[in-house]
Amino acid sequence: MVEIKVRAGVLGRRYRRLVRLLTAAAATVAAVVSSAPALASAAAPLPAPVNSELPWHPAVTDASDGLLAWYEPQRGLGYDQVLRLGWYFLEHGIPDEAGTDLKTYLFNSVFNGITGQGAYWQSNPAMVFGSFVDSALAWYPYSGDETAISTVRGMLNYLLAHGLTPTNWSWSGVPFPTGCGNQSDYGRCLSDMPKSYYGGIEPDKVGEVGIGYGLMYEETGDRAYLREAIRCANALAAHVEPGDNTHTPWPFRVDGRKGATLDGETFGGIVVPPLRLFDELIRIHQGNVTAYMRARRMAWGWLDSHQLNPRSPTYDLWTGYFEDVPKDQTDLNQAAPTYTALYLLNLPNPGAVDPQWRAQVSHLIAWVKQHFGIGPFDGAWGINEQGPAVGQYLCCSTAGLGSDTSRLAAVNAIYYEKTGKLQAKEDASRSLNYATYFEASNGEVSCCGQSLGTFQYWFSDGYSDYLRSFNWTMAAIPSLAPVGQSHLLGSTSVVQRVAYGHDRITYHTFDADATEVLRLAFRPGSITAGGMALHREASLDGAGYTLESLAGGGFVVRIHHVSSGNVVVAG
């Protein structure tokens, strides 16, 4: 336990709490082991796991000893299995919190792996529910799983009813980032404040769940979601500042009543979630577009001239994000740079916003791997969560985290899609293969390994910020999708409806003008949009589709429709 104690001294309140839980769990395990009968010395050794922290599956490797996904990699089913197990567990395996008829994820950020009940001092609904929207909107087109959409809508609806600031506050009608563990209403238990303090806001979380509400409006047409997205954007636009070397465009933590900065947290958080929200509302012409354009210019201008600028003293100063971590601007994290890379990569025309986007993203990938990488494990790198600016990065595990590893894999995958860099493709597949080993066969996903015992199961690290990266990676690299199956892998628009039939996929997108990528087990005989035939083309500058045969069987089809979102693909 010496090593654990050393780590506890540098990881902050979140991990001091987990170390206490780990100590108790270790004592229980020791008691059980001491009373167990000795095993026969002649027992055959079990196949070795890829990492001792991830014992749920033996490592599977290819002929060159490179790591593969643990489930049927020869058929390309590894990522598909992770998604199906994870979503099934969320939809059917999470119990109601004791004494309620509500799911544990509404009350707590962590569930006990034995009882399924909430196990932490805090909940973090804004981040978890916002990132669950990304996951659901990536999973639904791929699977047709309508229950995923209704499950996430339940989260968003609960937040509207139990987690918004009063409308007469400075930050009006926006979601709280936290609540106290196993309490039904949100607004308390923000790190660095007394647990009884009510009213703390983290502006980056306002953006993170705000874009979630905006995208779920596009999915469902429910204008209550649009209204909340607009309230979030209005608050962010009203409070944005130019920023400087000691101030980000929004403070990391503020008092929602008066707007004052909490605990001197003038610098920190992630700038790009508010940018995503502004961009989308501007694009669909909703809310105060003029104010959003002004705020977007100001926030992007700061990001470009500071954290992305090698000449700035704030270059690569990616600090502040986690709701349960006390103020410490020397504690850097990988979430901010990878979110920033994803933002740049997913812009319709990255070069129009940042002419240096290729170099920026390449640097962000290298910086995260250099500072937080752990491994290699059979050629795959894991990624840890956070750590001091100088010294060893200790949080949170000798295995890294499944969510952070998979997110960097998705960044590499999309970077490969945009640039053709083959090393990025290799890094994406190896790291995502490694990330599959964080999930057990029952759908429980460990944040960071078995040493945390029953307290390793975080709804963020194990689900909302983990599952989405598998869909994003397959959309960017369709050859990684299942062999012999047909899936709508991704779209530039929200996909509102999808139906799968024999050699047939029909779907409808929010935008009439959008582009999709599919992997098909059949060769398409016809593709129509709005009842009009689309033709095979050499490029997708206009309406049409491209067709590519895959060496492993099947086809990659990319479709661009411009006048209708009703698309039918038939064999």
Side-chain angles (χ1 to χ4, degrees):
M1 296 298 292
V2 174
E3 181 181 4
I4 293 173
K5 291 177 182 177
V6 170
R7 293 184 178 190
V10 299
L11 297 183
R13 183 178 302 165
R14 175 180 188 178
Y15 296 98
R16 288 198 296 272
R17 169 60 180 253
L18 289 180
V19 166
R20 288 197 295 271
L21 298 174
L22 173 55
T23 302
T28 301
V29 171
V32 172
V33 170
S34 66
S35 62
L39 297 177
S41 59
L46 294 174
V50 66
N51 185 300
S52 62
E53 285 289 336
L54 310 175
W56 301 285
H57 312 283
V60 179
T61 57
D62 60 20
S64 61
D65 293 327
L67 189 66
L68 300 172
W70 60 265
Y71 184 79
E72 298 197 32
Q74 72 280 6
R75 298 173 56 199
L77 292 178
Y79 307 159
D80 180 273
Q81 181 76 344
V82 163
L83 289 161
R84 293 188 185 281
L85 290 174
W87 277 107
Y88 187 87
F89 183 80
L90 279 166
E91 295 165 8
H92 305 288
I94 299 295
D96 293 342
E97 188 65 20
T100 78
D101 59 355
L102 299 169
K103 297 299 182 184
T104 299
Y105 48 66
L106 300 176
F107 291 88
N108 210 293
S109 55
V110 179
F111 67 91
N112 181 297
I114 296 174
T115 67
Q117 299 296 289
Y120 200 48
W121 64 276
Q122 187 187 65
S123 60
N124 56 338
M127 179 273 165
V128 170
F129 300 169
S131 51
F132 260 130
V133 173
D134 278 341
S135 286
L137 296 186
W139 167 243
Y140 170 67
Y142 177 94
S143 64
D145 180 6
E146 296 178 352
T147 303
I149 300 298
S150 62
T151 297
V152 176
R153 290 191 71 181
M155 300 175 188
L156 297 178
N157 293 343
Y158 190 86
L159 185 57
L160 289 178
H162 296 270
L164 302 186
T165 61
T167 56
N168 62 347
W169 283 18
S170 176
W171 285 79
S172 171
V174 301
F176 289 112
T178 62
C180 293
N182 301 335
Q183 294 188 9
S184 58
D185 292 315
Y186 307 130
R188 292 181 170 83
C189 283
L190 185 65
S191 187
D192 277 336
M193 304 300 293
K195 287 188 176 182
S196 60
Y197 166 73
Y198 179 75
I201 296 297
E202 292 184 350
D204 61 349
K205 310 309 185 300
V206 173
E208 192 162 8
V209 74
I211 182 60
Y213 277 111
L215 294 175
M216 193 57 79
Y217 155 71
E218 295 178 13
E219 172 68 22
T220 65
D222 189 334
R223 297 191 70 84
Y225 300 149
L226 176 62
R227 288 192 293 270
E228 182 54 29
I230 290 172
R231 280 193 292 266
C232 291
N234 288 347
L236 289 162
H239 291 90
V240 68
E241 298 291 343
D244 54 33
N245 290 338
T246 58
H247 297 77
T248 42
W250 298 274
F252 179 39
R253 292 179 176 135
V254 301
D255 177 78
R257 288 182 182 84
K258 303 297 184 182
T261 301
L262 292 176
D263 197 35
E265 296 264 24
T266 61
F267 191 104
I270 307 180
V271 174
V272 296
L275 292 180
R276 285 185 68 197
L277 175 58
F278 291 145
D279 286 350
E280 191 61 16
L281 292 177
I282 292 167
R283 189 185 75 83
I284 65 175
H285 307 291
Q286 295 289 338
N288 189 343
V289 170
T290 300
Y292 306 158
M293 292 176 68
R294 171 187 172 274
R296 192 212 168 280
R297 284 194 299 270
M298 192 177 296
W300 168 254
W302 181 88
L303 181 62
D304 187 44
S305 62
H306 285 77
Q307 286 176 315
L308 291 173
N309 181 6
R311 295 180 297 277
S312 169
T314 62
Y315 183 52
D316 285 336
L317 189 56
W318 307 106
T319 182
Y321 178 63
F322 303 106
E323 303 91 339
D324 56 348
V325 174
K327 177 185 177 182
D328 182 359
Q329 291 192 357
T330 68
D331 181 60
L332 304 184
N333 67 76
Q334 46 61 50
T338 51
Y339 272 46
T340 301
L342 285 168
Y343 174 74
L344 291 171
L345 288 167
N346 284 308
L347 289 169
N349 182 4
V353 174
D354 181 2
Q356 303 301 317
W357 69 270
R358 288 179 177 82
Q360 303 275 29
V361 172
S362 178
H363 168 76
L364 293 172
I365 291 170
W367 187 87
V368 168
K369 183 177 177 181
Q370 175 189 351
H371 288 82
F372 300 99
I374 186 165
F377 307 107
D378 295 322
W381 284 86
I383 301 296
N384 260 319
E385 182 181 85
Q386 58 179 304
V390 177
Q392 203 172 16
Y393 286 82
L394 300 175
C395 180
C396 305
S397 167
T398 56
L401 277 76
S403 58
D404 304 330
T405 300
S406 62
R407 193 180 336 104
L408 186 63
V411 171
N412 268 304
I414 304 172
Y415 186 61
Y416 161 73
E417 178 190 26
K418 300 286 187 179
T419 66
K421 299 288 186 181
L422 292 178
Q423 187 60 54
K425 179 183 181 183
E426 174 72 8
D427 292 345
S429 61
R430 294 301 186 194
S431 287
L432 202 62
N433 291 344
Y434 179 67
T436 68
Y437 288 84
F438 287 78
E439 183 181 55
S441 296
N442 64 356
E444 288 185 343
V445 184
S446 172
C447 67
C448 27
Q450 65 173 340
S451 289
L452 292 181
T454 58
F455 305 99
Q456 62 192 282
Y457 302 110
W458 294 69
F459 289 111
S460 55
D461 298 315
Y463 296 92
S464 69
D465 187 30
Y466 172 75
L467 296 173
R468 59 185 177 179
S469 294
F470 291 89
N471 282 115
W472 289 346
T473 297
M474 288 190 288
I477 309 176
S479 61
L480 298 179
V483 176
Q485 297 184 15
S486 297
H487 294 280
L488 172 51
L489 301 178
S491 174
T492 58
S493 177
V494 167
V495 177
Q496 296 177 317
R497 295 187 301 276
V498 65
Y500 286 88
H502 178 67
D503 288 354
R504 184 181 179 90
I505 302 176
T506 63
Y507 61 90
H508 179 77
T509 59
F510 174 78
D511 296 292
D513 189 339
T515 301
E516 286 77 55
V517 57
L518 304 90
R519 177 165 181 166
L520 302 178
F522 60 92
R523 187 183 187 94
S526 68
I527 300 177
T528 62
M532 302 296 293
L534 297 177
H535 302 287
R536 185 176 180 181
E537 306 288 351
S539 71
L540 295 181
D541 295 335
Y545 70 91
T546 62
L547 181 69
E548 172 193 353
S549 298
L550 290 172
F555 305 88
V556 176
V557 179
R558 301 180 191 275
I559 300 170
H560 182 200
H561 48 93
V562 298
S563 58
S564 173
N566 287 305
V567 179
V568 179
V569 181

